[in-house]
Amino acid sequence: EDQVTQSPEALRLQEGESSSLNCSYTVSGLRGLFWYRQDPGKGPEFLFTLYSAGEEKEKERLKATLTKKESFLHITAPKPEDSATYLCAVQTYGGSQGNLIFGKGTKLSVKP
Amino acid sequence: DTAVSQTPKYLVTQMGNDKSIKCEQNLGHDTMYWYKQDSKKFLKIMFSYNNKELIINETVPNRFSPKSPDKAHLNLHINSLELGDSAVYFCASSQVRSGNTIYFGEGSWLTVV
């Protein structure tokens, strides 16, 4: 069965304290891995798509990387406005194209 | 302009009632979806429509039915509401031929009492 596991469930950082969020996956065939950000009371906001091992993408203080078994979301010198829940999801070749399988998310809190 | 919009944002209703949630996208996408986020914040797909054809239905009770009057709209109808239907329902859309990135609406908070 296709699965996505995110760790840690919650992460508290001081402003400027860099860290990484982990997303490990077990799928029959990876079509793409997606990172989303979700603020309280809002819908998931798209951040990145990664398609193959070794691929990296950056946006401001965020950098996403992908291996054959996991993805990392690196946060460099975070600010309080980076506080949110970060969701990882995969699309597989075995499933229908729109079927995103989500992890449970990592809730990030950045204190000033 | 909101890309994926859904109404209502909040809905409180009694058990046994029938309700609908509307969704519209102005991105010109060819596929629309409904996702459910439960009390544990776990997001799971319910339906998707591509060119007005249902292509996913993931073990969802038949009390839930999607209706798509056109490519830009996918409404969710729920009959005989139960307490366990309380959740946040997200509409989403994507363009399958262009990377298939899925964009979500703001969510509809359904509470069944």
Side-chain angles (χ1 to χ4, degrees):
Chain A
E1 183 183 353
D2 297 328
Q3 280 191 333
V4 177
T5 304
Q6 291 188 246
S7 62
E9 288 188 14
L11 181 62
R12 292 185 179 184
L13 299 174
Q14 288 296 126
E15 185 172 2
E17 180 186 2
S18 301
S19 189
S20 297
L21 312 182
N22 177 264
C23 171
S24 62
Y25 59 91
T26 306
V27 297
S28 51
L30 182 69
R31 181 189 293 270
L33 186 141
F34 296 75
W35 282 98
Y36 287 84
R37 168 190 171 130
Q38 187 173 23
D39 292 296
K42 302 287 187 180
E45 176 189 346
F46 171 73
L47 293 174
F48 304 109
T49 309
L50 301 167
Y51 293 104
S52 56
E55 189 175 359
E56 298 182 352
K57 288 195 176 170
E58 287 188 67
K59 180 180 179 181
E60 296 181 351
R61 294 177 292 281
L62 300 177
K63 179 180 177 180
T65 62
L66 181 66
T67 72
K68 289 185 177 180
K69 293 184 178 180
E70 59 191 348
S71 175
F72 290 94
L73 184 65
H74 307 279
I75 304 177
T76 302
K79 298 181 178 182
E81 52 261 42
D82 294 323
S83 298
T85 295
Y86 289 86
L87 299 170
C88 172
V90 298
Q91 277 182 348
T92 70
Y93 283 107
S96 299
Q97 285 183 336
N99 191 1
L100 282 176
I101 303 167
F102 278 90
K104 292 188 177 180
T106 294
K107 185 175 182 180
L108 174 66
S109 299
V110 182
K111 303 298 182 185
Chain B
D1 289 340
T2 304
V4 181
S5 59
Q6 51 185 111
T7 57
K9 187 171 178 70
Y10 300 101
L11 181 57
V12 181
T13 187
Q14 290 186 330
M15 284 175 55
N17 283 353
D18 302 337
K19 291 294 178 185
S20 295
I21 306 172
K22 295 184 177 181
C23 177
E24 176 182 6
Q25 56 95 3
N26 62 7
L27 297 168
H29 287 168
D30 59 9
T31 305
M32 295 184 71
Y33 312 85
W34 279 103
Y35 279 77
K36 178 181 179 180
Q37 191 168 42
D38 61 25
S39 57
K40 296 183 179 179
K41 308 297 183 186
F42 198 37
L43 262 171
K44 192 168 183 181
I45 192 165
M46 299 177 70
F47 302 104
S48 74
Y49 253 76
N50 180 280
N51 291 325
K52 301 179 77 171
E53 292 184 19
L54 179 67
I55 59 173
I56 301 176
N57 184 335
E58 295 283 331
T59 64
V60 173
N62 57 16
R63 297 182 295 103
F64 291 78
S65 58
K67 298 276 195 303
S68 180
D70 55 58
K71 212 168 77 165
H73 296 84
L74 182 65
N75 303 323
L76 182 65
H77 299 278
I78 316 169
N79 296 326
S80 303
L81 278 156
E82 301 177 356
L83 292 176
D85 297 332
S86 296
V88 185
Y89 294 86
F90 288 99
C91 179
S93 72
S94 72
Q95 182 67 21
V96 170
R97 294 180 183 178
S98 300
N100 203 33
T101 296
I102 297 177
Y103 296 91
F104 287 82
E106 295 284 88
S108 294
W109 270 251
L110 172 64
T111 302
V112 182
V113 298

